[in-house]
Amino acid sequence: MPHKTFFAFILPSLIAMVLFIALPIVSVIVQSLHVEHARVLVEVESCQPFGGCTTETRVDTAAMAELRAEKPMGQFNGLGTYLNRGHLAVNEIGAILASNNGFGDIATRIYNLPFYKALSFTLVFCFVVTPLAMALGFAIALAVNALPKVTKGPVIFFSLLPMIITPLIGSLILYWMIQSNGIIGASLQHLFNDPTLSLRASPVLTWASLLFYGVWTNAPFSFVVFYAGLQTVPGDTLESAMIDGASRWERIRFVIIPHLAPLATFVALVQLMDNFRVFEPIVGFSAEANATSLSWLIFNDLSGDAKLFGSAGATSVLTIVGVIVLLMPVLIRTWQEFNHKVV
Amino acid sequence: MSDATLSQKRPLPLTILITVFIVIWVVLAAFPFIWTVWGSFKVEPDFFSRQSWWNAIFGTYTQAQNDGNSFTGDGYYGAWVTREFWRAAGNTAIVTVSVTIISLTLGTLGGYALARSGRGYAFWILILALVFRAMPHITLVSGYLLPFFQLNIWGVLPTSIIVLVAINQPFTLWMLHSFFLSIPKDLDESAMVDGCSRFEAFRRVIIPVMWPGVVTTGLFSFLLAYNDFATTSMLLSSDNQTMVPKISSFLGSVQEQGNVMFAVAAVVSATVPLFILVLFFQRQIVSGLTAGAVKG
């Protein structure tokens, strides 16, 4: 296909991606280097007929508005936002490392810094939910594959629901059930005979319920992909494994799993990308006291009256760096394959 | 693999184990929805009962407040009429339909070009699309807000539609690219030998055969627009909100006034279209997920 035709076809799509994905990334980087204007203060003397005169310090709103109109981004701050307490907290970490009471102390004190708190939940969510959801999905796929044909359709229908549901809505539905006055929460209180038991109160239980939600909503995707993969397992190989006396488990271990391995890489990649942006369940579970994520930090900076563009920008840039690190193995492999092909 | 040969030899305990496992999974997957749909027709003290969840099943308080009738539509009336949820539903319809149509138009052209080019830069565009696909949407949103305020285009539906189309492009390109690869090259090339230009060949030969792939990709574009919370909640003013941000915004106000059932009714209402979608397009959804996996 000649270059001209190619670009004629792809141009609209390319323009959309450049304008609304590439440029915003640039805009985020520029924003992260700026910080809100310092408040312009004026001394105002107010005199009352009988009270004498007092001087007050006030924020000069007119001057502030002018300043904002002139430089909407705020003032240049360099890497200041990145290094402050709300982000990488370089000084605080230095202080913690300089004086501490052993490893446990370091860990708790670093965990109490907002960025590291969010980062640790995000990473735990990614690397716990992804493998668990894949294992569950694989187990469901094996089980559904063994079902009689009539039941397969309805089972697949119900299995798709947790995946297709809007994340915020799905998390609300689960949250209403595990609340202390919802069906699961109340039953747990009854079961453990502890009327104060609440999934929201303790950080461990909040994390556990968020991770449970993650597995619940991610497993169907692995299931569907693995189930489709199972249909393509070569019958001859399975049969010869059976003739060689391989047990059921050995057939799964040595025939089916190697056959599905490329699919598993794909599923892991997609789910890691999606879980890294975990956000809606935290809003749905109102879990921000015990668990926050990088996306939630950005959302929190931007919602509310004072929009902290600088802070949100810095967290966004750090998140994008995280995504690229996450994708690095894939990118390197594609790069090598591509070079290989050319040579 | 043939089911017959394997299932003949399956021992009974294994069959029981499989059945129990599947039953547990189906209950886990379906029960939350059934429970919430059922509960949305009750009053709050029943659905969120401190005494016993049997109240939610029999509707004890619902009967007491409702002349002995154990079902009530008050939650739905409150959400749709009092709190004007219909407006949000209308906005969602506009946004999802526009996003799906525009994404597919741009995506089919782009995906076709990528599938037929075979040059280095086509490969790099695909890799770039993969990186873009991985960007958390909220990081992009924090880049939009300030420019959109400056340009005075914040808060209206067209802005959100264009943003969602752009966010959707990487995925659409990948899906349609792998779909067009599965259409034999000879088809459009022979049309070009007969004197068609590339665009005519696309229009006369490719468009008639591309619908299965386009329908599947369209389903996923629809789902992305429908399920989005991060973008629409930040980019739409409260008058123009779609369903999902609307639910989240009246969750706070509703809880204070003791009207949680409005939110429950709204959540169930927003689930219904998804339910119907899975019911009618189960095959396409499954094939779409696997097509991306097998070829991508």
Side-chain angles (χ1 to χ4, degrees):
Chain A
M1 191 186 264
H3 303 294
K4 217 177 126 191
T5 333
F6 175 79
F7 282 103
F9 269 95
I10 208 168
L11 207 60
S13 167
L14 215 53
I15 290 176
M17 288 203 293
V18 167
L19 270 185
F20 294 101
I21 303 182
L23 275 188
I25 294 178
V26 176
S27 149
V28 154
I29 296 173
V30 176
Q31 262 174 48
S32 69
L33 300 176
H34 289 75
V35 76
E36 288 69 30
H37 291 290
R39 286 186 296 177
V40 184
L41 300 176
V42 280
E43 300 249 305
V44 181
E45 196 179 49
S46 59
C47 294
Q48 276 151 354
F50 299 105
C53 289
T54 47
T55 48
E56 267 180 275
T57 316
R58 283 206 196 139
V59 179
D60 186 348
T61 31
M64 285 291 291
E66 197 181 314
L67 205 57
R68 281 218 192 95
E70 214 171 273
K71 288 183 179 171
M73 272 262 229
Q75 57 189 358
F76 187 74
N77 190 32
L79 291 177
T81 316
Y82 288 94
L83 305 179
N84 71 11
R85 187 179 183 281
H87 299 90
L88 292 176
V90 179
N91 292 334
E92 284 77 3
I93 295 220
I96 292 170
L97 291 180
S99 75
N100 58 69
N101 307 322
F103 184 73
D105 184 47
I106 297 183
T108 23
R109 282 168 65 188
I110 290 185
Y111 176 75
N112 281 328
L113 297 165
F115 177 77
Y116 293 96
K117 187 177 174 184
L119 182 66
S120 45
F121 179 75
T122 310
L123 289 179
V124 166
F125 191 85
C126 261
F127 290 99
V128 170
V129 166
T130 307
L132 283 183
M134 285 173 69
L136 179 62
F138 181 60
I140 301 170
L142 282 178
V144 169
N145 202 35
L147 288 178
K149 254 207 174 83
V150 218
T151 47
K152 275 181 185 171
V155 170
I156 294 177
F157 170 78
F158 286 115
S159 304
L160 285 177
L161 292 178
M163 174 190 71
I164 229 83
I165 190 76
T166 312
L168 184 77
I169 290 180
S171 49
L172 276 174
I173 288 179
L174 283 199
Y175 172 66
W176 285 329
M177 291 174 75
I178 61 171
Q179 255 184 339
S180 57
N181 51 11
I183 176 167
I184 297 175
S187 308
L188 285 180
Q189 283 183 352
H190 193 71
L191 198 67
F192 291 101
N193 209 3
D194 175 6
T196 58
L197 184 75
S198 154
L199 289 171
R200 278 183 74 182
S202 102
V204 178
L205 289 178
T206 310
W207 281 46
S209 47
L210 284 168
L211 294 176
F212 175 83
Y213 165 80
V215 175
W216 182 73
T217 188
N218 274 308
F221 176 64
S222 324
F223 154 60
V224 170
V225 174
F226 288 143
Y227 178 71
L230 281 179
Q231 312 309 312
T232 64
V233 172
D236 300 350
T237 325
L238 270 186
E239 218 165 284
S240 50
M242 253 147 81
I243 293 169
D244 290 346
S247 70
R248 237 165 248 285
W249 165 246
E250 282 167 338
R251 264 177 277 152
I252 292 178
R253 172 72 191 77
F254 295 108
V255 181
I256 294 180
I257 289 184
H259 182 78
L260 295 182
L263 283 186
T265 330
F266 163 81
V267 173
L269 174 72
V270 170
Q271 299 210 324
L272 279 179
M273 289 196 300
D274 287 349
N275 289 332
F276 195 73
R277 56 172 88 134
V278 51
F279 163 56
E280 284 99 337
I282 294 176
V283 178
F285 280 64
S286 337
E288 57 272 9
N290 295 320
T292 54
S293 71
L294 295 175
S295 293
W296 185 85
L297 278 187
I298 302 169
F299 177 78
N300 193 41
D301 279 340
L302 293 176
S303 49
D305 293 332
K307 298 200 184 327
L308 306 171
F309 291 115
S311 169
T315 315
S316 301
V317 171
L318 293 170
T319 309
I320 292 173
V321 171
V323 168
I324 291 174
V325 169
L326 212 63
L327 279 183
M328 209 41 108
V330 188
L331 293 180
I332 291 176
R333 216 181 64 185
T334 354
W335 167 253
Q336 284 166 346
E337 272 172 20
F338 182 72
N339 279 347
H340 200 71
K341 239 187 271 172
V342 170
V343 174
Chain B
M1 85 182 100
S2 63
D3 281 340
T5 49
L6 290 180
S7 55
Q8 271 166 7
K9 293 182 183 171
R10 189 177 299 129
L12 187 65
L14 188 64
T15 313
I16 294 174
L17 184 77
I18 289 174
T19 317
V20 170
F21 176 71
I22 284 295
V23 168
I24 293 178
W25 163 247
V26 169
V27 168
L28 214 57
F31 179 69
F33 298 101
I34 298 169
W35 178 253
T36 312
V37 171
W38 176 266
S40 69
F41 292 101
K42 306 288 174 195
V43 293
E44 195 185 334
D46 277 333
F47 187 52
F48 294 103
S49 174
R50 292 201 180 274
Q51 298 158 1
S52 151
W53 46 263
W54 285 105
N55 285 348
I57 292 177
F58 297 123
T60 320
Y61 287 92
T62 316
Q63 277 176 356
Q65 290 178 21
N66 212 20
D67 307 327
N69 195 342
S70 49
F71 294 96
T72 170
D74 285 356
Y76 289 91
Y77 184 83
W80 282 84
V81 181
T82 318
R83 300 297 303 260
E84 298 197 322
F85 195 61
W86 57 269
R87 212 182 276 276
N91 287 336
T92 298
I94 296 172
V95 169
T96 46
V97 170
S98 324
V99 167
T100 311
I101 292 174
I102 303 175
S103 313
L104 287 178
T105 313
L106 302 189
T108 38
L109 292 173
Y112 175 71
L114 289 172
R116 290 293 183 263
S117 166
R119 284 180 204 270
Y121 51 75
F123 172 83
W124 288 114
I125 290 177
L126 279 172
I127 292 299
L128 194 68
L130 180 74
V131 176
F132 284 166
R133 155 85 174 72
M135 292 293 146
H137 301 165
I138 192 94
T139 59
L140 301 175
V141 170
S142 67
Y144 299 138
L145 274 184
L146 205 53
F148 285 1
F149 281 140
Q150 295 295 311
L151 297 170
N152 219 358
I153 52 171
W154 180 86
V156 293
L157 291 179
T159 313
S160 292
I161 291 172
I162 299 205
V163 164
L164 283 173
V165 166
I167 287 183
N168 209 357
Q169 272 309 295
F171 175 77
T172 317
L173 281 182
W174 266 94
M175 280 281 274
L176 287 168
H177 153 81
S178 56
F179 176 74
F180 282 124
L181 280 181
S182 72
I183 297 180
K185 246 183 184 163
D186 307 342
L187 216 58
D188 37 326
E189 270 165 14
S190 60
M192 284 166 69
V193 170
D194 292 346
C196 282
S197 73
R198 177 60 84 168
F199 189 76
E200 275 172 348
F202 176 74
R203 196 167 60 93
R204 285 162 195 265
V205 183
I206 298 297
I207 287 185
V209 298
M210 73 180 183
W211 295 109
V214 170
V215 168
T216 309
T217 316
L219 280 172
F220 287 92
S221 307
F222 173 87
L223 281 176
L224 179 126
Y226 191 89
N227 287 347
D228 173 81
F229 171 63
T231 328
T232 44
S233 75
M234 298 305 296
L235 291 186
L236 287 174
S237 63
S238 56
D239 296 335
N240 286 335
Q241 268 173 345
T242 51
M243 288 203 275
V244 181
K246 181 81 174 175
I247 288 172
S248 111
S249 77
F250 75 48
L251 205 62
S253 64
V254 134
Q255 224 137 24
E256 286 157 19
Q257 299 155 3
N259 286 332
V260 188
M261 294 320 288
F262 290 8
V264 177
V267 156
V268 172
S269 315
T271 317
V272 171
L274 295 175
F275 231 78
I276 297 172
L277 200 75
V278 184
L279 206 59
F280 285 102
F281 293 103
Q282 179 172 334
R283 188 177 295 274
Q284 281 83 354
I285 293 174
V286 169
S287 76
L289 289 175
T290 49
V294 177
K295 292 165 199 150

